[in-house]
Amino acid sequence: MINHKDNIAKNLPYIPLMGVVAAIAVSIGNYVLFKKGFSIENILVPLAYFLAFLLFSLIVKFILSIPSFNFSKGQVSAFIILWIVFLIIQIIAFIKTPNINTLSVEQALNYSDDIDNEYIFIYASEDCPFCKMQKKELHNISNERENLFYVDMNKLDSAFNGYKIVKNMNVTSVPVIVKYKGNKEIKRLTGFTKKEELENFIGGKND
């Protein structure tokens, strides 16, 4: 007669393993497909998937009164290898993610450069689909650029600052990419901009 409890106990260790696989899949989706870039959130979300699988296995273990997980040597090895793969993905994402400073609207309004350097503001909003596409293109730019700033229009602390950014910065839609020098606008791109044009704009001449 088949003992279903023994079968479940035997296969229970595969559930946490599947959780690590899910964490790896979510990480690959974030960094490769959606190009979200490295962030604490993009580590915690995959880990939440793993914890959900682990919690499910613990609930099953508790309900069926299974005394312990019977991990085989192969399963332990697979578990370790999968976590190493997960860590490698995070390290690669960290290295590949460009250094783009994020400013709130208030910080953008108060920003000034006293030494006449060029700097670029990318005005965007997280709930704008074209802005999300623009952010993906930014993540395709591999070199770190200290003069590049992502202005998160969602970080609007007051309606008055919203009015000022429209009036003073002439930002009436997003995404907008503006190049400044000596605190004066010298060039802008409106709407979604592809990688090649974006790189030319950032590093090109001001003609």
Side-chain angles (χ1 to χ4, degrees):
M1 195 172 172
I2 298 172
N3 190 326
H4 293 292
K5 183 176 176 180
D6 289 344
N7 283 337
I8 293 171
K10 183 180 178 181
N11 292 302
L12 201 57
Y14 287 106
I15 298 177
L17 282 171
M18 289 169 61
V20 188
V21 172
I24 291 171
V26 173
S27 296
I28 292 172
N30 282 338
Y31 300 134
V32 178
L33 298 178
F34 301 108
K35 294 187 171 76
K36 287 187 175 179
F38 178 85
S39 69
I40 298 300
E41 179 187 351
N42 290 337
I43 293 177
L44 294 179
V45 171
L47 287 178
Y49 277 80
F50 164 71
L51 291 174
F53 277 82
L54 180 62
L55 181 61
F56 176 74
S57 64
L58 290 173
I59 291 171
V60 172
K61 177 178 175 293
F62 174 77
I63 291 172
L64 298 180
S65 302
I66 297 171
S68 64
F69 288 102
N70 295 316
F71 284 100
S72 67
K73 288 184 179 180
Q75 288 169 335
V76 172
S77 299
F79 201 72
I80 293 170
I81 291 169
L82 287 170
W83 276 117
I84 291 171
V85 170
F86 178 79
L87 290 173
I88 290 171
I89 291 170
Q90 305 307 323
I91 292 168
I92 292 172
F94 178 77
I95 294 169
K96 292 279 187 181
T97 300
N99 180 26
I100 302 172
N101 299 302
T102 300
L103 300 178
S104 67
V105 171
E106 184 179 12
Q107 288 172 323
L109 287 167
N110 294 326
Y111 186 88
S112 64
D113 190 311
D114 298 328
I115 53 177
D116 210 29
N117 285 332
E118 286 186 1
Y119 58 94
I120 295 166
F121 281 180
I122 299 168
Y123 298 94
S125 173
E126 289 298 319
D127 54 7
C128 158
F130 290 106
C131 297
K132 290 178 181 178
M133 290 168 60
Q134 190 64 77
K135 203 168 187 179
K136 291 178 187 179
E137 291 300 304
L138 284 173
H139 289 156
N140 285 327
I141 301 173
S142 58
N143 295 329
E144 294 187 356
R145 303 177 190 273
E146 294 181 358
N147 67 333
L148 187 63
F149 299 90
Y150 183 89
V151 181
D152 187 353
M153 300 294 282
N154 284 348
K155 294 183 177 179
L156 185 64
D157 57 345
S158 71
F160 182 63
N161 278 342
Y163 166 77
K164 286 204 301 184
I165 207 158
V166 171
K167 185 175 184 295
N168 299 350
M169 304 295 200
N170 193 27
V171 177
T172 57
S173 63
V174 288
V176 177
I177 306 169
V178 185
K179 183 183 286 188
Y180 299 94
K181 187 173 183 180
N183 300 319
K184 293 182 179 179
E185 179 182 331
I186 55 176
K187 197 175 182 182
R188 77 165 50 199
L189 293 171
T190 303
F192 172 70
T193 305
K194 291 188 176 180
K195 177 186 174 185
E196 186 177 342
E197 188 179 358
L198 186 60
E199 285 185 323
N200 289 335
F201 178 85
I202 290 170
K205 296 180 180 179
N206 307 316
D207 41 55

